[in-house]
């Protein structure tokens, strides 16, 4: 793509999220969300193919619906409260509608159906942007309206997301779809703690972004999109197999890696609020996620898959792609656990 | 201590002396048998003293000797209860044992272990007396188990024969099933009346619940071979004839009925238990009488006859007449022991032939045995004014004139007539007609060790009924008047049985049935009971045990329930969530409709 166009699109993307985050007028926030959607559609179509077209169409349809619903909720709020400030909503119907609109935007269950299909149809880098940057704007709105969100709706959607994220990923070999289901599950964890202690939502988002960024960077390095391709990384860069395994385990939430931190905090907050069944079930279903991460780690790092003799020579050559921030990201996504007390920064 | 106490204890202690003498040299030579026999004789004579004193003064006695153990409020002592039942039974048991010991000096003459045999018989006698004189349930259990163990050792006397070993084990197993009931009632009595003493139990639980009484009935059914737990008694005929005479006709098998008689004050007011005992006894008596009709082993016929009489005793207890049952125990002991001794004489004289189809014509050859056998059979069937009449006839009279179960009564009457039938069968096949055994038999009955016991028991079979019933103090009101046809019931059915049996037996000389009918099969195979019950329940229970251990425990609980179920659930769920059809329009449409409806319904609920 023409570099001028791609810079414009990227700038618009960044600007739109900024607009959503700093606005205090509902209309402005809506504008930001629309710009976000408009900017990313061409990015998705960088390499035109029927698959990409289908993905971007699906993305457009769902996100447009979500924005419309958001507008409806804003109008209802205006009707009941007479003002446009971004704060808690004053009508339960408006609150429910806005929650559902943001759920569609994030890909929470039961509106999760678009996430795997869209993620599968786009190149890896765009998928990275989709699963990390695009989550910031809706979460920021959710953070601001959190006092008025209906508890039952939120908890139902988040627990269902965790389940769907776990069960859906079991049947996959395409890595992008696996990352999509993992994103659904993590969104579930994030929104479950929103009404009890919203700071932890932001913490979870931060850690999730770091880990997903690391994972995608590792995948982009060798353009591996299937498990089969991933199992050949020991031929090209053997050291990356270790890092892949560590990142995957961190995403699964194993101590003493970073991914354990948000899960631990969330379970602690939930138990402090006397809900015991929910964190138990959430922790148990997180095992499903861990299972398919382990399957990937098994075929990548724990076993050396057979390959042709030509493949075995690839490590002798220097990598041609740029490893953007990969070492930093790997360190951040595996060794951040001792810094847990610093999450008070987010308060 | 006065004469009553000292003579009782002396009787019991005298019998222990030969046991202790078995560790000396006396055990090695042949005088030991005479020693034991004479000790039993002396014990018998001394035991007549307390019996006479009791008849004279009607004073019961309780000897409580040695304080054994106290657990919290529960006290266990060694105590002997000398009342009506135990004082009357002791001389009878000692008399019969004395006669049998003299007989076994002839019968077991060529056995190298004859001294051990006598020791076993003596230990059996001691445990039986412990059982009879026990005042608390623990001592009774000691006696109960003791007679069971001695029965095992004596039935399996010729242990080289597998049938004997099987029969001994069978006796133990069936008795054990009865012991479950015994222990159940012991536990109930302990927890509800805090004592195992009979006096305390009778005072504290006037109307006990059905549970301990069912337990006692089960114990009696096990020990006294009632229906359901009866197969061990015919199998026990594998033991030597003196053993059959002592244990399985007179003494051990009556222990069960004796237990029920001891506890009869608890069952006076409990109609359901009495009805149950009545039905059980009636079923037993008829079933075993039917089985006795087609047996070919002389000892088995007499064994089934014993079983039938035990059923009759159970019927009597079920009619709430424990004293009549006790009288029948005492009189039955005489003629049944004599029948066994006669059969022992016949068997030994015919060179160990036990099949009645190969006997015959012994009428002129063994005159004394013939006399005894015929008298015994007549006494068994209750011919007037012999021994059996004085106990059997009052039982039938009590049954016909009491407000009782007509079906049980009918069964009892049929069994009474069948008693006459199989008695006639024994007499006909062994004594009458032409001889069917090999001509080279060495038959004589001149040995006094054979003749004297049979002579004594013969006198007993004729006169004991008269003597006992006239000297026993009456404990219940006897029934004085009844219609003539009820009075003559027993006599009439017995006569009917005799006539029919004689007719049919004479037929067997001229007619022959071409093939066996189903009824004959039923009777010969003992009602198919052992065939079914000795194979099927153990097989079912053992397969169930195996299936429980492997299929249920190993396979299901530890493998299928959690791991495999979890696996299948996860597989199905993952397939469900990741297979989607892309029906976008449908999804959006359903979303729209849902939203509209929800908003309308929640905002305008009317």
């Amino acid at each position: 793509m023409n570099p001028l166009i791609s810079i414009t699109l990227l700038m618009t993307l960044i600007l739109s999220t900024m607009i959503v985050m700093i606005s205090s007028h509902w209309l402005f926030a809506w504008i930001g969300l629309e710009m976000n959607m408009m900017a990313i559609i061409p990015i998705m179509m960088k390499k035109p193919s029927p698959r990409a077209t289908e993905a971007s169409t699906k993305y457009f349809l769902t996100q447009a619906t979500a924005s419309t619903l958001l507008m409806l909720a804003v109008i209802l709020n205006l009707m009941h409260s007479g003002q446009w400030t971004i704060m808690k909503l004053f009508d339960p119907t408006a609150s429910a509608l806005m929650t559902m609109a943001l759920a569609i935007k994030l890909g929470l269950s039961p509106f999760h159906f678009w996430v795997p299909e869209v993620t599968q149809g786009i190149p890896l880098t765009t998928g990275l942007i989709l699963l990390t940057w695009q989550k910031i704007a809706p979460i920021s709105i959710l953070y601001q309206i959190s006092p008025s969100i209906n508890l039952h709706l939120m908890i139902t959607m988040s627990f269902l997301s965790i389940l769907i994220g776990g069960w859906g990923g079991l049947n996959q070999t395409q890595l992008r779809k696996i990352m999509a289901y993992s994103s659904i599950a993590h969104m579930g964890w994030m929104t479950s703690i929103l009404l009890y202690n919203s700071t932890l939502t932001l913490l979870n988002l931060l850690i999730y972004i770091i880990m997903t960024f690391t994972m995608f960077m590792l995948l982009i390095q060798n353009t591996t999109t299937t498990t089969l391709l991933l199992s050949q990384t020991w031929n090209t860069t053997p050291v990356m197999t270790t890092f892949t395994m560590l990142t995957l385990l961190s995403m699964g939430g194993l101590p003493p890696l970073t991914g354990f931190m948000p899960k631990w905090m969330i379970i602690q907050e939930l138990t402090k609020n006397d809900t015991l069944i929910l964190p138990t079930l959430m922790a148990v279903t997180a095992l499903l996620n861990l299972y398919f991460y382990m399957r990937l780690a098994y075929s990548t790092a724990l076993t050396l898959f057979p390959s042709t003799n030509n493949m075995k020579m690839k490590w002798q050559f220097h990598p041609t792609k740029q490893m953007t921030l990969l070492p930093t990201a790997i360190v951040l996504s595996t060794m951040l656990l001792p810094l847990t007390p610093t999450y008070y920064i987010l308060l | 201590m006065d004469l009553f106490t000292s003579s009782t204890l002396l009787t019991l202690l005298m019998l222990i002396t030969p046991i202790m003498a078995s560790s000396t040299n006396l055990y090695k030579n042949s005088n030991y048998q005479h020693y034991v026999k004479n000790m039993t004789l002396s014990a018998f004579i001394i035991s007549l003293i307390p019996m006479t004193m009791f008849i004279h003064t009607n004073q019961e006695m309780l000897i409580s000797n040695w304080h054994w153990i106290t657990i919290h409020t529960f006290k266990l002592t060694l105590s002997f209860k000398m009342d009506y039942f135990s004082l009357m039974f002791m001389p009878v048991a000692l008399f019969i044992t004395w006669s049998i010991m003299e007989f076994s000096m002839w019968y077991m003459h060529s056995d190298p272990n004859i001294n051990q045999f006598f020791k076993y018989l003596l230990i059996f006698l001691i445990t039986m007396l412990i059982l009879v004189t026990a005042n608390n349930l623990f001592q009774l259990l000691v006696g109960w188990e003791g007679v069971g163990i001695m029965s095992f050792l004596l039935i399996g006397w010729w242990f080289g024969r597998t049938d004997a070993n099987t029969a001994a084990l069978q006796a133990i197993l069936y008795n054990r099933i009865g012991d479950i009931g015994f222990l159940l009632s012991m536990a109930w009595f302990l927890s509800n009346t805090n004592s195992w003493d009979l006096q305390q139990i009778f005072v504290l639980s006037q109307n006990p619940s059905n549970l301990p009484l069912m337990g006692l009935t089960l114990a009696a059914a096990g020990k006294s071979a009632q229906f359901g737990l009866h197969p061990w008694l015919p199998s026990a005929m594998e033991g030597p004839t003196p053993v059959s005479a002592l244990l399985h006709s007179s003494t051990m098998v009556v222990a069960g009925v004796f237990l029920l008689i001891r506890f009869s004050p608890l069952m006076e007011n409990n109609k359901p238990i009495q009805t149950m005992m009545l039905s059980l006894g009636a079923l037993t008596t008829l079933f075993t009488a039917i089985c006795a009709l087609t047996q070919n082993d002389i000892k088995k016929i007499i064994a089934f006859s014993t079983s039938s009489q035990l059923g009759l005793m159970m019927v009597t207890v079920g009619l709430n007449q424990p004293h009549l049952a006790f009288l029948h125990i005492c009189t039955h002991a005489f003629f049944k022991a004599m029948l066994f001794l006669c059969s022992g004489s016949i068997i030994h004289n015919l060179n160990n032939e036990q099949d009645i189809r190969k006997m015959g014509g012994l009428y002129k050859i063994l005159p004394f045995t013939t006399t005894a056998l015929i008298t015994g059979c007549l006494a068994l069937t209750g011919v007037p004014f012999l021994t059996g009449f004085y106990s059997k006839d009052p039982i039938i009279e009590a049954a016909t004139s009491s407000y009782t179960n007509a079906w049980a009564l009918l069964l009892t009457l049929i069994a009474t007539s069948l008693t006459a039938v199989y008695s006639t069968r024994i007499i006909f096949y062994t004594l009458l007609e032409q001889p069917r055994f090999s001509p080279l038999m060495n038959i004589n009955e001149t040995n006094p060790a054979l003749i004297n016991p049979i002579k004594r028991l013969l006198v007993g079979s004729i006169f004991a009924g008269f003597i006992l019933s006239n000297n026993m103090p009456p404990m219940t009101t006897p029934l004085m008047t009844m219609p003539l046809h009820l009075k003559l019931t027993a006599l009439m059915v017995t006569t009917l049985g005799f006539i029919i049996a004689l007719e049919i037996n004479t037929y067997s000389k001229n007619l022959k049935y071409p093939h066996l009918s189903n009824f004959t099969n039923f009777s010969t195979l003992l009602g198919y009971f052992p065939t079914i019950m000795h194979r099927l329940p153990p097989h079912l229970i053992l397969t169930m045990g195996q299936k429980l251990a492997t299929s249920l425990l190993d396979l299901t609980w530890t493998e299928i329930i959690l791991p495999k179920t979890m696996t299948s659930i996860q597989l199905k769920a993952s397939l469900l969530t990741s297979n989607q059809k892309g029906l976008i329009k449908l999804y959006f449409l359903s979303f729209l409709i849902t939203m509209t409806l929800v908003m309308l319904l929640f905002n305008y609920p009317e």
Side-chain angles (χ1 to χ4, degrees):
Chain A
M1 197 187 279
N2 189 351
L4 198 58
I5 309 282
S6 77
I7 286 182
T8 315
L9 289 171
L10 278 173
M11 287 296 129
T12 320
L13 194 62
I14 297 171
L15 182 64
S16 60
T17 309
M18 291 289 131
I19 289 176
V20 172
M21 285 205 288
I22 65 176
S23 70
S24 48
H25 195 281
W26 275 117
L27 211 51
F28 229 171
W30 177 79
I31 289 174
L33 287 172
E34 290 295 300
M35 279 169 65
N36 199 356
M37 177 182 72
M38 293 298 168
I40 202 166
I41 301 276
I43 299 181
M44 282 196 203
M45 287 292 291
K46 243 202 268 197
K47 297 200 191 107
S49 69
R51 203 67 189 273
T53 318
E54 184 191 333
S56 36
T57 317
K58 280 185 193 162
Y59 187 73
F60 173 73
L61 285 174
T62 50
Q63 300 287 310
T65 319
S67 301
T68 321
L69 278 176
L70 190 101
M71 203 59 201
L72 175 61
V74 163
I75 301 289
L76 277 177
N77 185 35
L78 175 66
M79 197 171 81
H80 283 269
S81 68
Q83 44 90 31
W84 294 89
T85 325
I86 296 187
M87 54 189 289
K88 77 178 180 76
L89 298 174
F90 290 97
D91 182 34
T93 317
S95 163
L97 279 173
M98 183 166 291
T99 315
M100 280 197 279
L102 294 170
I104 299 175
K105 283 237 180 258
L106 280 177
L108 278 180
S109 182
F111 310 111
H112 65 278
F113 294 98
W114 61 270
V115 186
E117 294 164 17
V118 171
T119 321
Q120 184 62 25
I122 55 183
L124 274 169
T125 326
T126 321
L128 170 64
I129 298 177
L130 178 71
L131 291 183
T132 52
W133 185 258
Q134 296 293 84
K135 311 289 183 194
I136 296 180
I139 294 270
S140 73
I141 301 185
L142 272 177
Y143 182 80
Q144 293 173 63
I145 65 167
S146 64
S148 63
I149 297 180
N150 186 1
L151 178 68
H152 301 293
L153 182 64
M154 203 74 228
I155 297 289
T156 313
M157 286 202 296
S158 64
F159 185 57
L160 214 51
S161 305
I162 301 176
L163 280 178
I164 300 273
W167 278 332
L170 285 178
N171 199 18
Q172 307 299 335
T173 51
Q174 294 285 332
L175 292 178
R176 287 172 284 183
K177 276 207 179 131
I178 286 183
M179 294 312 296
Y181 280 111
S182 138
S183 136
I184 297 174
H186 277 105
M187 287 299 126
W189 276 91
M190 273 183 239
T191 49
S192 68
I193 198 67
L194 186 65
L195 299 172
Y196 293 109
N197 188 351
S198 343
T199 322
L200 288 176
T201 308
L202 299 179
L203 174 72
N204 200 349
L205 181 68
L206 186 64
I207 305 291
Y208 162 73
I209 288 177
I210 294 174
M211 292 194 298
T212 315
F213 178 78
T214 317
M215 196 63 212
F216 266 101
M217 277 295 134
L218 289 167
L219 295 180
I220 288 169
Q221 204 54 38
N222 288 330
T223 328
T224 53
T225 51
T226 64
T227 316
L228 189 58
L229 289 173
L230 193 62
S231 64
Q232 302 296 332
T233 47
W234 70 275
N235 285 315
T236 48
T237 332
V239 71
M240 275 204 337
T241 60
T242 320
F243 294 140
T244 316
M245 187 180 85
L246 285 175
T247 315
L248 283 170
L249 291 179
S250 178
M251 288 202 339
L254 279 187
L257 303 169
T258 313
F260 179 57
M261 188 203 313
K263 288 201 164 62
W264 167 26
M265 292 282 111
I266 288 176
I267 291 178
Q268 186 173 343
E269 281 304 310
L270 283 175
T271 50
K272 273 193 214 164
N273 280 293
D274 259 348
T275 65
L276 287 176
I277 306 173
L278 181 66
T280 317
L281 289 173
M282 280 163 61
V284 167
T285 44
L287 287 174
L288 294 167
N289 271 356
L290 185 61
Y291 174 70
F292 57 79
Y293 295 149
M294 277 305 299
R295 210 163 39 187
L296 289 179
Y298 176 80
S299 58
T300 311
L302 300 178
T303 53
L304 300 179
F305 262 51
S307 55
T308 58
N309 280 338
N310 289 337
M311 290 285 284
K312 296 193 177 96
M313 298 280 289
K314 281 173 71 171
W315 62 272
Q316 307 229 4
F317 301 109
H318 280 288
T320 52
K321 275 213 184 113
Q322 270 230 308
M323 290 195 226
T324 327
L325 289 181
L326 192 53
T328 320
I330 290 172
V331 167
L332 282 179
S333 69
T334 50
M335 298 214 255
L336 223 46
L337 192 63
L339 292 181
T340 312
T342 58
Y343 93 89
Y344 284 100
I345 300 175
L346 295 169
L347 270 174
Chain B
M1 292 214 298
D2 61 349
L3 190 58
F4 203 157
T5 331
S6 52
S7 48
T8 315
L9 286 177
L10 185 62
T11 316
L12 295 170
L13 281 171
M14 274 173 69
L15 294 170
I16 298 183
T17 322
I19 312 286
M20 299 194 290
S22 68
S23 56
T24 67
N25 264 336
L26 180 58
Y27 195 50
K28 306 278 191 333
N29 64 18
S30 64
N31 281 336
Y32 186 72
Q33 315 157 27
H34 295 269
Y35 178 55
V36 172
K37 180 194 70 135
N38 288 332
M39 276 305 213
T40 319
L41 169 61
S42 328
F44 163 65
I45 293 177
I46 294 182
S47 71
L48 287 174
I49 300 175
M51 180 177 93
T52 333
M53 286 178 74
F54 174 76
I55 296 174
H56 180 67
T57 60
N58 200 18
Q59 273 182 337
E60 296 184 353
M61 188 177 57
L62 173 64
I63 308 173
S64 188
N65 267 351
W66 180 51
H67 174 202
W68 190 26
I69 195 173
T70 304
I71 302 175
H72 294 297
T73 55
F74 172 69
K75 186 174 172 210
L76 207 58
T77 62
L78 187 69
S79 65
F80 300 95
K81 179 179 166 105
M82 311 309 291
D83 68 338
Y84 175 75
F85 296 123
S86 55
L87 282 174
M88 290 293 181
F89 188 76
M90 264 176 63
V92 170
L94 283 165
F95 180 76
I96 294 182
T97 312
W98 167 41
S99 303
I100 289 176
M101 279 183 180
E102 193 170 346
F103 172 78
S104 51
M105 281 166 57
W106 171 77
Y107 193 85
M108 309 289 289
H109 183 254
S110 53
D111 196 319
N113 290 329
I114 186 170
N115 287 340
Q116 191 184 24
F117 187 75
F118 272 80
K119 187 168 84 164
Y120 282 176
L121 284 182
L122 196 58
I123 298 177
F124 168 78
L125 179 66
I126 294 169
T127 47
M128 188 69 205
L129 290 180
I130 291 176
L131 196 157
V132 167
T133 56
N135 190 36
N136 57 10
L137 274 173
F138 190 78
Q139 205 167 320
L140 214 153
L141 184 66
V142 169
W144 187 272
E145 298 292 329
V147 297
I149 291 174
M150 295 325 292
S151 167
F152 171 77
L153 289 173
L154 283 169
I155 295 175
W157 178 254
W158 290 313
F159 51 79
R161 188 176 147 84
T162 47
D163 281 343
N165 287 331
T166 319
L169 205 56
Q170 201 177 339
I172 288 281
L173 288 174
Y174 275 111
N175 276 340
R176 246 327 176 212
I177 299 177
D179 287 350
I180 297 174
F182 195 92
L183 290 170
L184 173 68
S185 35
M186 270 175 90
W188 192 93
F189 285 129
L190 182 59
S191 57
N192 286 52
T193 61
N194 191 33
S195 166
W196 278 335
D197 288 330
L198 296 182
Q199 283 79 19
Q200 196 163 333
I201 292 174
F202 292 158
V203 164
L204 286 179
S205 65
Q206 303 277 0
N207 285 320
S209 72
N210 281 340
L211 190 63
L213 301 177
M214 299 273 280
L216 291 173
T217 315
L218 180 62
K223 193 64 105 179
S224 293
Q226 301 299 308
F227 182 74
L229 297 174
H230 66 279
W232 69 271
L233 190 52
S235 306
M237 297 297 120
E238 293 287 335
T241 309
V243 169
S244 308
L246 185 56
L247 271 70
H248 304 120
S249 62
S250 334
T251 17
M252 185 183 113
V253 290
V254 299
V257 186
F258 194 85
L259 179 73
L260 288 180
I261 294 175
R262 269 273 190 251
F263 279 90
S264 54
L266 294 179
M267 303 196 241
E268 278 172 340
N269 296 327
N270 198 334
K271 269 286 170 232
I273 293 288
Q274 286 179 8
T275 314
M276 194 179 81
M277 289 196 290
L278 184 71
S279 314
L280 184 65
L283 185 61
T284 308
T285 182
L286 184 63
F287 180 77
T288 48
I290 291 177
C291 288
L293 292 178
T294 56
Q295 298 301 311
N296 293 319
D297 184 354
I298 188 173
K299 283 176 73 175
K300 283 219 170 30
I301 302 183
I302 307 181
F304 277 113
S305 162
T306 311
S307 207
S308 187
Q309 297 302 307
L310 289 170
L312 187 67
M313 291 177 208
M314 183 70 98
V315 164
T316 321
V317 177
L319 288 172
N320 201 14
Q321 303 278 355
H323 302 276
L324 273 182
F326 180 71
L327 183 61
H328 195 58
I329 287 179
C330 296
T331 53
H332 170 260
F334 282 102
F335 49 79
K336 197 45 71 71
M338 186 176 73
L339 279 176
F340 267 110
L341 295 194
C342 294
S343 68
S345 154
I346 294 174
I347 289 170
H348 246 38
N349 276 318
L350 291 182
N351 200 13
N352 295 333
E353 180 57 63
Q354 289 185 296
D355 197 332
I356 58 176
R357 296 173 290 193
K358 292 171 110 172
M359 305 173 187
L362 293 171
Y363 189 72
K364 303 281 183 150
I365 310 174
L366 292 172
F368 186 70
T369 310
T370 313
T371 320
L373 195 66
I374 294 181
T375 318
C377 284
L378 291 178
L380 171 62
T381 56
V383 161
F385 307 116
L386 291 179
T387 307
F389 173 73
Y390 285 97
S391 58
K392 217 169 166 190
D393 210 54
I395 292 175
I396 304 287
E397 281 176 19
T400 49
S401 54
S402 65
Y403 187 60
T404 181
N405 195 333
W407 171 79
L409 173 61
L410 186 63
L411 259 60
T412 316
L413 290 177
I414 298 176
T416 313
S417 72
L418 289 182
T419 311
V421 173
Y422 60 70
S423 303
T424 319
R425 182 183 155 93
I426 292 180
I427 297 175
F428 183 78
Y429 274 91
T430 57
L431 305 176
L432 304 177
E433 300 301 317
Q434 304 299 318
R436 292 184 290 275
F437 50 86
S438 140
L440 293 172
M441 285 291 181
N442 187 9
I443 303 183
N444 69 60
E445 48 179 17
T446 53
N447 195 337
L450 169 64
I451 294 297
N452 286 338
I454 301 186
K455 208 188 296 180
R456 284 196 293 271
L457 288 175
L458 187 58
V459 170
S461 301
I462 299 176
F463 294 115
F466 179 70
I467 297 173
L468 280 173
S469 59
N470 277 338
N471 288 328
M472 280 186 175
M475 295 295 177
T476 55
T477 329
L479 193 61
M480 291 298 171
T481 60
M482 63 186 79
L484 184 65
H485 60 274
L486 286 185
K487 184 96 182 145
L488 293 177
T489 321
L491 191 59
M492 285 193 301
V493 295
T494 311
T495 322
L496 186 67
F498 270 128
I499 295 171
I500 292 180
L502 274 174
E503 271 298 308
I504 296 180
N505 278 333
T506 40
Y507 284 170
S508 70
K509 288 198 300 184
N510 298 325
L511 296 176
K512 182 170 110 78
Y513 35 68
H515 52 264
L516 294 175
S517 73
N518 281 337
F519 299 113
T520 326
N521 272 342
F522 179 83
S523 175
T524 314
L525 289 174
L526 314 183
Y528 310 116
F529 188 90
T531 327
I532 299 174
M533 293 299 283
H534 288 173
R535 292 273 169 211
L536 191 63
H539 173 76
L540 289 176
I541 291 177
L542 287 174
T543 9
M544 183 181 82
Q546 185 196 24
K547 288 237 164 4
L548 275 178
T550 54
S551 301
L552 192 59
L553 196 60
D554 271 352
L555 197 58
T556 313
W557 287 126
T558 55
E559 268 194 38
I560 293 186
I561 286 289
L562 225 39
K564 295 221 164 89
T565 329
M566 272 288 127
T567 324
S568 57
I569 289 181
Q570 304 309 324
L571 281 172
K572 283 205 178 52
S574 78
L575 283 175
L576 194 66
T577 46
S578 53
N579 284 340
Q580 351 175 351
K581 317 183 239 288
L583 307 167
I584 307 268
K585 274 209 276 194
L586 185 65
Y587 299 159
F588 277 115
L589 189 61
S590 59
F591 181 61
L592 172 68
I593 293 178
T594 315
M595 280 296 115
T596 325
L597 275 177
V598 160
M599 284 213 316
L600 287 176
L601 285 174
F602 275 109
N603 283 327
Y604 301 103
E606 68 238 6

